[in-house]
Amino acid sequence: MQVKVLLASPRSFCAGVERAIEIVEEVLRHRKPPVYVRKQIVHNKHVVADLQSRGAVFVDELDAVPDGSTVVFSAHGVSPAVRADAQRRELDVIDATCPLVTKVHAEARRFAARGDTVVLVGHAGHEEVDGTLGEAPGQTVLVESPRDAAALQVPDPSRVSYLMQTTLAVDEAAEVVSALRSRFPDLKGPASDDICYATTNRQNALNAIADESDLVLVVGSTNSSNSVRLVELARRAGTPAYLIDDVGEIKAKWLTGVRVVGVTAGASAPPGLVDEVVAALNPISVEDREVAKETIQFTLPPAARRS
């Protein structure tokens, strides 16, 4: 049975991911190897494998980087303690942190400086969360769910602010903030949304196709928070959905009785992988459902431009 494909748009790379990848490419092009990258530059195994093939050396922590070497910090950001360690060891640091993550870090410092307990809404263990928690570790607490929010104890309930991981599901994050506000009526938040425009756009685009789809395929790696959120969003809409790294992970049984397949990709998944998925489905038609145009671009840091 041939299928119709509904393509969610925007999908695939966002400006922060494109910038991070370009930073590593520029450093590899102009600096002597080896070039080290702390953590995955973005959460996609195909991107990481490609950069490894060109000479990037990915490490989990800075202790694997020889003193004085060049190291790139990933798009997800790092804590001040990591920056201090790099400076102490005279590492040549090039920072690929997404500017929207940097915004959240600045908010954490500002809220803590005015004496607030800073509540970070996010997922434990995610690299972005680890970096943000490190900005004011004595005053920042992580909340993952409305239940966590309801049970939260703070020194002064009148002085509480919240921040968010940039890749959360918008609807679930709103539930957590609502629970926080019920508990702390004086709760303060950021002047503008912490969940990034690309995450929001991809979720809105997924919503535009989920109801009409019999199946949704999300291209992205399992450690990509925004990709996982897309799968969860489709399933909450009642549509079967699967996260796939590439076309090789599609199972024929998923397509049994399916007439319409929705296809999207997380912000760290290369667009070429989506093209391969669509080609493999051999659809009778492809309809691109665009809910927003993305024109944002981020400049490279001076250290990368000088490479």
Side-chain angles (χ1 to χ4, degrees):
M1 179 185 297
Q2 284 194 297
V3 299
K4 174 182 178 179
V5 167
L6 297 180
L7 274 176
S9 182
R11 60 185 176 273
S12 296
F13 284 170
C14 64
V17 165
E18 289 178 340
R19 174 180 180 270
I21 294 170
E22 187 178 355
I23 287 170
V24 178
E25 290 174 338
E26 285 296 306
V27 175
L28 288 172
R29 188 176 296 119
H30 299 296
R31 299 204 179 193
K32 293 180 181 179
V35 170
Y36 294 89
V37 182
R38 183 185 179 275
K39 306 292 186 182
Q40 292 189 355
I41 186 66
V42 298
H43 285 159
N44 185 271
K45 75 173 191 179
H46 288 280
V47 171
V48 170
D50 176 61
L51 293 173
Q52 279 179 322
S53 73
R54 293 194 251 171
V57 180
F58 290 87
V59 299
D60 283 333
E61 296 298 344
L62 292 185
D63 57 12
V65 180
D67 290 356
S69 298
T70 297
V71 62
V72 180
F73 289 158
S74 81
H76 308 103
V78 300
S79 69
V82 173
R83 295 184 187 278
D85 186 30
Q87 184 174 16
R88 178 182 60 79
R89 299 183 49 220
E90 298 184 337
L91 299 179
D92 183 9
V93 172
I94 300 173
D95 191 357
T97 302
C98 174
L100 300 179
V101 174
T102 300
K103 164 189 174 289
V104 178
H105 284 209
E107 290 167 345
R109 295 191 297 272
R110 186 169 70 253
F111 293 170
R114 69 190 186 197
D116 290 3
T117 296
V118 182
V119 180
L120 175 59
V121 183
H123 297 291
H126 190 278
E127 289 153 36
E128 180 187 328
V129 167
D130 290 342
T132 304
L133 287 172
E135 290 290 348
Q139 289 174 250
T140 309
V141 293
L142 179 65
V143 164
E144 298 188 81
S145 67
R147 179 178 295 181
D148 290 346
L152 183 62
Q153 301 287 335
V154 301
D156 184 349
S158 69
R159 303 189 67 84
V160 182
S161 298
Y162 76 89
L163 301 170
M164 290 186 184
Q165 181 181 334
T166 63
T167 55
L168 297 179
V170 174
D171 55 349
E172 291 189 318
E175 291 177 5
V176 177
V177 172
S178 178
L180 284 170
R181 201 171 296 283
S182 294
R183 183 159 177 76
F184 308 109
D186 295 326
L187 181 73
K188 300 176 182 65
S192 59
D193 287 344
D194 284 337
I195 297 178
C196 83
Y197 77 94
T199 297
T200 301
N201 285 347
R202 278 149 192 74
Q203 291 176 18
N204 289 341
L206 186 279
N207 281 330
I209 65 169
D211 286 345
E212 296 178 49
S213 301
D214 302 312
L215 169 72
V216 167
L217 297 177
V218 178
V219 181
S221 292
T222 55
N223 62 338
S224 166
S225 175
N226 74 89
S227 299
V228 172
R229 301 291 85 75
L230 290 172
V231 173
E232 293 173 348
L233 194 61
R235 290 175 177 170
R236 288 202 299 276
T239 305
Y242 299 94
L243 182 64
I244 57 172
D245 255 307
D246 51 48
V247 67
E249 294 187 352
I250 298 175
K251 298 186 185 302
K253 64 181 181 181
W254 296 346
L255 298 168
T256 301
V258 167
R259 294 182 179 275
V260 181
V261 181
V263 178
T264 188
S268 51
L273 297 177
V274 175
D275 296 339
E276 293 173 3
V277 167
V278 173
L281 291 171
N282 190 28
I284 55 174
S285 66
V286 178
E287 183 179 340
D288 201 314
R289 294 281 183 86
E290 184 177 68
V291 302
K293 287 189 178 295
E294 293 182 348
T295 58
I296 292 175
Q297 292 182 312
F298 295 130
T299 59
L300 300 187
R305 294 199 299 270
R306 289 198 304 268
S307 295

